[in-house]
Structure formats: structure tokens, C-alpha cells
Amino acid sequence: MIILYRRKPIRLEQRYFHDPRICIVNKVICEHKKGQLFYHSNADTISTINPDWITKSRFRNNYSWYEPVLIESTTLDSLIEEYGPPDFIKV
């Protein structure tokens, strides 16, 4: 089974909807399960949970950032407990 985690999973859901080996979970992976502010950019690939990306990174001046939204979060340990140990992780 392949588990995909993505804040905006719509493209993944459309692509893998009929594949029973793939499970898409719309949560952010971090150190807690309390929910997490997510900072969405007009360039989806740089959207982040790290506010320093907006103010201190090379991306601070070249992109637009929207109001942060609170999203569900989970931990890597919780995912392993639920789905078993991974063969591969890409962050």
C-alpha cells in the first residue's frame, strides 16, 4: 500500500481514485496532533507550516501568501502505528 500525505490532495485524488493500493490522507505531519497552521502560497510547491519561509527564506519576496488555515495534523509515529513501518519516506 502507498500512503500519500498532501495538504491539497485534489490532484492526487483525481489521479489515484481507482487504485486500491493508495490511501490519501489530508493532514500535515509534524510533532503533535493538535492541528497546525498551514501557510498556503500562490506557488503550491512552497506552501508550508513554517512561518519563517514567509519572512526569512528566499521565497519571501517573490510569492504571495494567503491567510494561514488551521488543518489537522498527525505524527510520523502515529502513521507507523496505523499503517505499519514504511519502506520509503519522501519529505
Side-chain angles (χ1 to χ4, degrees):
M1 175 181 280
I2 299 169
I3 314 297
L4 301 173
Y5 294 89
R6 179 130 170 101
R7 169 61 188 115
K8 291 180 62 179
I10 189 69
R11 286 186 219 117
L12 294 174
E13 288 172 350
Q14 291 169 347
R15 184 173 181 182
Y16 298 111
F17 177 72
H18 298 291
D19 192 331
R21 299 170 302 153
I22 296 178
C23 175
I24 300 171
V25 178
N26 189 19
K27 294 180 183 179
V28 65
I29 300 171
C30 62
E31 65 277 358
H32 58 76
K33 293 175 148 187
K34 298 182 245 178
Q36 179 70 46
L37 283 178
F38 183 79
Y39 301 89
H40 182 68
S41 171
N42 63 325
D44 188 43
T45 56
I46 63 169
S47 296
T48 183
I49 63 172
N50 185 347
D52 287 345
W53 275 63
I54 299 169
T55 58
K56 298 178 183 175
S57 77
R58 62 187 170 133
F59 304 113
R60 69 184 175 277
N61 296 321
N62 300 325
Y63 299 95
S64 299
W65 295 90
Y66 306 110
E67 288 294 317
V69 294
L70 184 64
I71 62 169
E72 284 187 74
S73 61
T74 190
T75 65
L76 187 55
D77 287 340
S78 293
L79 296 175
I80 291 170
E81 194 174 295
E82 185 173 350
Y83 296 102
D87 292 322
F88 176 78
I89 297 175
K90 180 184 182 298
V91 178

